[in-house]
Amino acid sequence: MNHLRIKLALLLTYFVFAILLNSVGTVILQVIHSFQVSKESASLLEGFKDIPIAVVSFLLASWLPRLGYQRAMMIGVAMVMLACIAMPLLPAFWTTKLLFFTVGSAFALVKVSVYASIGLITDSREQHASLLNFIEGFFMLGVLSGYWVFAAFMDPAEPESLSWLQVYWLLAALCLLNLLLLASTPIPKVHLEPTRSARQDFVGMLQLLALPLVLVFIVSAFLYVVLEQGIGTWLPTFNNQVLQLPNQLSVQLTSIFAASLALGRLLAGVVLRHLSWYALVNLCLVGMAALMLLILPMTRNVVVPETVHLWNAPLAAYLFPLIGLFMAPVYPIISSVMLSALPKARHAAMTGLIVVFSALGGTTGSMITGLTFARFDGQTAFYLSLVPLSLLLLSLALLYRWHRQGSVPATA
């Protein structure tokens, strides 16, 4: 079994979806200009992405071990390739909704398959946590690349220009390359009980919700994604409308957020060798709150140079995205803690639940931030993120307590 080739296939698959999933903030900014869409309407794009993730994960996650993780990922990538081709051919807001609906549906297949495959090619909790953090860190490198790739196709002189849609030809070609790699990579299948039906697998996934550790983890994952997507999705618009930066520069500076997330997740693997996971996530959350309280006041009444560019933007535009360094380790750490507590045959079902509630959290965070942004201002919208952050501190305390007590039996 060539684990290196399998890891490469998983990384490229995640890289493609990283660009598309996290382009929603950039696309929101562009559809506001290109299609004259209101902020409230544009905020629905997060829902077109996240609700299909939740629905498809809920319905199909427990069945994917039977379909095969390799086949599921190939179906997902093929769906997205066709949706990318449609974007420049049929430029309209409805096509954008269709794209994110397709990306969301496909990502449900891909994320469950990637997370479950990690359990099949690792032999210990330490290896599992390390590979998961690495893959999530590589995901953020995809997000970082996406900001610059999209910015390269945007016209700063004419914000309403449709030139940005040409980026989807490049993304379709990347999907095709990914499809060819997946087709030539033998990804192992999980061993299932021969007498167990697909219906029993689905019921088993629902039964996981009865376990206290699983329930408090799901709450924690939901709150984290409310926080991350609320900030990440609306940061390009925040840069554009609060800091008064051009649309192209707004997207380019948002890449600092993605770079911070990538670096934070890659560093987490090193830090976890010397610090417990619970201590690290608490330090991260406190650091996030401190940075928000220090930097957001700097975004009021900013003075922007007449000719603003990448190197002379307001200081807050460079400092606020560094919140990603503190935010980065939280999600992969708690996901690994949860998956490592379960038998490998249950990883797909558990990942399905993770994806469902993460998707719901993403939609909730984006819509709340968008509505607050539209009715008040960007600073108020971002200050509101302190609420899920505080609740997350409480839920993680419960998660740590029940994890130490071993609330998930080996036969779950």
Side-chain angles (χ1 to χ4, degrees):
M1 187 188 300
N2 191 339
H3 284 184
L4 182 60
R5 188 178 179 86
I6 295 171
K7 290 174 184 177
L8 179 61
L10 298 181
L11 287 172
L12 181 57
T13 304
Y14 234 42
F15 186 85
V16 172
F17 278 87
I19 295 174
L20 285 161
L21 284 164
N22 289 274
S23 68
V24 66
T26 301
V27 173
I28 282 175
L29 174 62
Q30 287 306 108
V31 298
I32 289 173
H33 290 297
S34 297
F35 303 128
Q36 290 75 54
V37 174
S38 68
K39 292 187 184 71
E40 290 89 344
S41 297
S43 72
L44 296 176
L45 288 179
E46 192 79 52
F48 273 90
K49 170 175 70 76
D50 288 337
I51 292 174
I53 293 176
V55 173
V56 174
S57 296
F58 181 73
L59 295 177
L60 298 183
S62 61
W63 176 69
L64 289 186
R66 298 177 184 278
L67 175 65
Y69 301 138
Q70 180 180 15
R71 192 176 301 166
M73 285 187 278
M74 289 179 65
I75 292 171
V77 173
M79 290 167 56
V80 167
M81 182 177 68
L82 295 176
C84 285
I85 292 171
M87 283 292 288
L89 296 179
L90 302 166
F93 188 42
W94 72 264
T95 320
T96 309
K97 294 177 184 177
L98 178 63
L99 171 76
F100 284 113
F101 178 86
T102 305
V103 170
S105 301
F107 186 62
L109 303 178
V110 165
K111 183 166 184 175
V112 172
S113 299
V114 169
Y115 269 45
S117 296
I118 291 172
L120 297 177
I121 60 174
T122 55
D123 301 315
S124 67
R125 291 189 178 191
E126 292 74 21
Q127 288 181 11
H128 190 284
S130 175
L131 182 55
L132 183 55
N133 264 288
F134 184 76
I135 285 178
E136 286 290 348
F138 198 79
F139 181 89
M140 296 317 305
L141 290 178
V143 177
L144 171 62
S145 304
Y147 288 121
W148 287 90
V149 169
F150 269 83
F153 286 84
M154 292 163 62
D155 187 346
E158 294 184 39
E160 69 280 3
S161 170
L162 297 178
S163 61
W164 63 279
L165 293 172
Q166 300 307 308
V167 71
Y168 289 101
W169 291 115
L170 175 63
L171 295 176
L174 192 57
C175 286
L176 179 59
L177 177 63
N178 187 199
L179 201 57
L180 294 175
L181 179 59
L182 283 170
S184 61
T185 302
I187 297 174
K189 292 186 176 183
V190 67
H191 296 292
L192 300 170
E193 298 175 23
T195 58
R196 193 176 178 91
S197 67
R199 180 178 176 276
Q200 287 174 314
D201 289 338
F202 182 75
V203 171
M205 181 179 72
L206 297 181
Q207 287 175 339
L208 286 172
L209 291 170
L211 299 171
L213 181 62
V214 172
L215 190 57
V216 75
F217 163 77
I218 284 170
V219 171
S220 301
F222 177 88
L223 290 170
Y224 170 81
V225 181
V226 166
L227 186 62
E228 183 189 286
Q229 293 300 314
I231 292 175
T233 298
W234 285 95
L235 192 52
T237 304
F238 183 90
N239 288 340
N240 180 242
Q241 300 194 5
V242 175
L243 300 181
Q244 302 301 309
L245 302 178
N247 62 334
Q248 185 183 50
L249 183 58
S250 297
V251 172
Q252 289 172 337
L253 286 173
T254 303
S255 68
I256 299 173
F257 178 67
S260 298
L261 284 168
L263 181 60
R265 286 180 178 170
L266 294 173
L267 289 176
V270 178
V271 176
L272 285 170
R273 298 174 189 170
H274 310 285
L275 198 65
S276 76
W277 70 265
Y278 182 59
L280 179 57
V281 294
N282 275 288
L283 285 173
C284 288
L285 292 174
V286 172
M288 286 171 58
L291 193 63
M292 290 172 68
L293 293 172
L294 288 172
I295 304 303
L296 282 176
M298 297 170 56
T299 64
R300 295 192 181 275
N301 304 314
V302 294
V303 178
V304 180
E306 185 175 343
T307 304
V308 63
H309 51 76
L310 189 61
W311 307 113
N312 69 347
L315 183 60
Y318 304 103
L319 295 180
F320 188 78
L322 295 178
I323 195 172
L325 278 173
F326 298 100
M327 187 181 291
V330 178
Y331 188 79
I333 286 175
I334 63 174
S335 295
S336 181
V337 165
M338 188 65 254
L339 289 171
S340 298
L342 289 168
K344 292 181 179 181
R346 309 304 301 277
H347 283 198
M350 186 65 240
T351 303
L353 293 177
I354 293 173
V355 175
V356 167
F357 288 93
S358 297
L360 294 175
T363 298
T364 304
S366 180
M367 292 184 68
I368 290 174
T369 304
L371 290 171
T372 310
F373 201 125
R375 297 183 183 181
F376 298 96
D377 54 54
Q379 289 93 345
T380 302
F382 279 5
Y383 273 125
L384 196 63
S385 298
L386 291 169
V387 175
L389 191 153
S390 302
L391 294 174
L392 183 55
L393 279 167
L394 296 176
S395 67
L396 288 177
L398 285 174
L399 181 68
Y400 178 66
R401 175 185 171 187
W402 280 330
H403 182 259
R404 290 187 65 188
Q405 292 175 353
S407 298
V408 177
T411 57

